Amino acid sequence: MSTNTTKSKGSKTSKKTSAAKSSGAVKVYKKIAKKNKALAVIIAAVVILLGLGWFFGGKPIIEIGAEGITLVQTEEPILYHIPEYLRGEYPPQTDYAEINGTGEGNTNEVVKETAKEPAETPASTSSSGKKTTSSKSGTKGSDPKSDTGYAANNPLHLGNPTDAYADTKKNTNYLMIKPQYTLSYNTETLCPNWVAWHLDTSYMGSADRMDDFRPDTELPEGWYGVKKADYQYNKYGFDRGHVCPSADRTSTKEDNSMTFLMTNMVPQSPDNNRVIWMHFENYERQLANEGNELYIIAGPYGKGGTSSKGTFDEIPISLKSGETLHMNVPSHTWKVVLGIPNGENDLSRVTKNAIIIAINVPNQMGMGKTGDWEQFITTVDEIEAMTGYDFFELLPDDVEDYLEAQKYEYVK
């Protein structure tokens, strides 16, 4: 009897011990589970904070370029615009272009003296009998052959402002024709002298903004292709400003992507690009939506722009070879717009009743505090005098002279 009792007690003790071990294992498991949950929460919080920091801090990326490995902001930090962001005003809804041209003249002129203002030479006479002048960026009216042969809706249908040709000897006035726009490129300023494009509703659709800033591979061999990182936003503070806007080319993804080639960019102050220029781009698209087709030409002028980082004449680009290139920072950006009702045979339909707008915007911060783009309205004549370019040269002289002297009256 005593033996059986001993065995029974031992069995109970064994069960208690086993239960205790099982309970201890559960407690350990629960502790581990709690720690894992806490760790998962911490990791999730860190990821969220990093994501928010990336989004609000300018969406930086790591790039390997001439200056080695750098952390580059792809846009101005939203942290600088929290009030506007909370009001839904930032980023601008149609700021598809970081720049679409900006104010006054252009430093993209043809000789290798880009630091100087355009120097005019004695007047000559064109085949039409008009007095013309020459400048560093091309000769006004000197070569009618450069203006002809462009069909309706082609950006140069009404004339080639600087007699640009696709000739590598003309490295400061090199013509580049793309399906989406046409431009004159300048290897001395590393920017376009001007970009021209045609706009009507057929160019506007639902394609996404591609944001694929990249060098232009169509530049001649041996010419430096500006990269996105070359703008060094953290140091100099200028937007990669589209000249032909992204939002003007949304019928296909390919069309939109082409506006992100760096040959379509100039260093533009954020307030110019995101306020004045963006609002004027919206107005142009409004005109197109109202049944007009527009011939638009825009570009940079002068030297010395101001960002939140200060005033700069240029942005140096250091190459691995030890050479330093200099990208010009314009003092102004300008734009000229000619609009007519949609139709055929455009050249013959341009009359003195055509829409004509010219603006010249200082490339500075603070733009918009004293008014919108209408405060910078000027005449085409003034843009021509400033740049030395000749716009709409193929129009009849009386129509051209009349339109280019008009100052657009904007009514809100």
Side-chain angles (χ1 to χ4, degrees), residues 153 198-204 248-249 288 292-294 342:
N153 299 346
H198 179 263
L199 179 65
D200 60 36
T201 55
S202 68
Y203 299 98
M204 296 182 284
D248 281 9
R249 294 291 183 263
N292 298 293
E293 55 182 303
L294 310 177
N342 292 330

Side-chain angles (χ1 to χ4, degrees), residues 20-90:
K21 288 182 178 180
S22 178
S23 176
V26 169
K27 289 180 179 179
V28 171
Y29 174 78
K30 287 182 177 179
K31 287 182 179 180
I32 294 174
K34 286 182 179 180
K35 288 182 179 180
N36 286 343
K37 285 182 180 179
L39 182 61
V41 170
I42 292 172
I43 292 174
V46 170
V47 170
I48 291 172
L49 289 174
L50 288 174
L52 290 172
W54 174 83
F55 181 78
F56 287 98
K59 299 180 181 179
I61 60 173
I62 296 175
E63 287 195 351
I64 301 176
E67 297 184 338
I69 299 175
T70 56
L71 187 67
V72 179
Q73 288 171 313
T74 58
E75 58 185 44
E76 187 175 24
I78 295 177
L79 289 172
Y80 299 163
H81 301 273
I82 292 295
E84 300 100 303
Y85 185 79
L86 293 176
R87 292 195 302 267
E89 298 173 359
Y90 188 88

Side-chain angles (χ1 to χ4, degrees), residues 100 197 199 203-204 244-250 284-285 296:
N100 190 21
W197 65 103
L199 179 65
Y203 299 98
M204 296 182 284
C244 175
S246 165
D248 281 9
R249 294 291 183 263
T250 55
E284 295 161 26
R285 288 187 286 273
I296 307 172

Side-chain angles (χ1 to χ4, degrees), residues 160-373:
N160 182 334
T162 58
D163 295 339
Y165 282 104
D167 181 350
T168 54
K169 293 180 181 178
K170 295 191 173 186
N171 64 299
T172 54
N173 188 27
Y174 183 75
L175 185 67
M176 302 185 74
I177 298 176
K178 303 178 185 297
Q180 296 77 17
Y181 52 86
T182 296
L183 65 99
S184 164
Y185 189 70
N186 191 327
T187 61
E188 296 294 320
T189 63
L190 298 177
C191 293
N193 294 318
W194 50 261
V195 180
W197 65 103
H198 179 263
L199 179 65
D200 60 36
T201 55
S202 68
Y203 299 98
M204 296 182 284
S206 58
D208 293 334
R209 175 183 167 95
M210 300 306 292
D211 275 323
D212 51 347
F213 295 94
R214 62 198 186 280
D216 193 333
T217 58
E218 294 181 4
L219 287 169
E221 184 178 357
W223 289 14
Y224 182 76
V226 173
K227 301 177 178 62
K228 177 171 66 173
D230 290 336
Y231 272 60
Q232 304 170 68
Y233 182 85
N234 283 341
K235 185 173 182 180
Y236 295 99
F238 292 98
D239 283 354
R240 295 178 294 272
H242 288 68
V243 184
C244 175
S246 165
D248 281 9
R249 294 291 183 263
T250 55
S251 58
T252 68
K253 288 184 177 181
E254 179 183 2
D255 283 351
N256 187 262
S257 175
M258 288 294 286
T259 68
F260 287 88
L261 293 175
M262 297 304 293
T263 48
N264 183 42
M265 307 289 159
V266 300
Q268 192 176 14
S269 74
D271 283 1
N272 179 358
N273 178 41
R274 305 176 194 186
V275 182
I276 300 300
W277 215 251
M278 185 269 288
H279 291 171
F280 187 49
E281 291 171 354
N282 289 344
Y283 186 68
E284 295 161 26
R285 288 187 286 273
Q286 176 184 324
L287 292 174
N289 284 322
E290 291 172 352
N292 298 293
E293 55 182 303
L294 310 177
Y295 286 87
I296 307 172
I297 310 169
Y301 175 79
K303 182 178 287 289
T306 302
S307 71
S308 61
K309 307 292 184 180
T311 299
F312 303 92
D313 287 346
E314 61 186 30
I315 298 175
I317 301 173
S318 300
L319 306 183
K320 289 182 179 179
S321 63
E323 180 184 3
T324 299
L325 303 179
H326 304 275
M327 177 164 49
N328 186 71
V329 176
S331 62
H332 292 75
T333 52
W334 55 266
K335 182 179 287 188
V336 172
V337 178
L338 187 151
I340 55 177
N342 292 330
E344 304 296 330
N345 303 314
D346 293 354
L347 182 59
S348 64
R349 294 189 303 112
V350 179
T351 69
K352 293 180 181 180
N353 293 322
I355 298 168
I356 192 77
I357 314 174
I359 65 170
N360 188 26
V361 186
N363 195 27
Q364 301 173 4
M365 297 299 286
M367 297 295 93
K369 291 183 179 180
T370 57
D372 212 328
W373 61 268

Side-chain angles (χ1 to χ4, degrees), residues 364-381:
Q364 301 173 4
M365 297 299 286
M367 297 295 93
K369 291 183 179 180
T370 57
D372 212 328
W373 61 268
E374 63 270 16
Q375 66 183 309
F376 302 111
I377 294 175
T378 183
T379 66
V380 176
D381 280 340

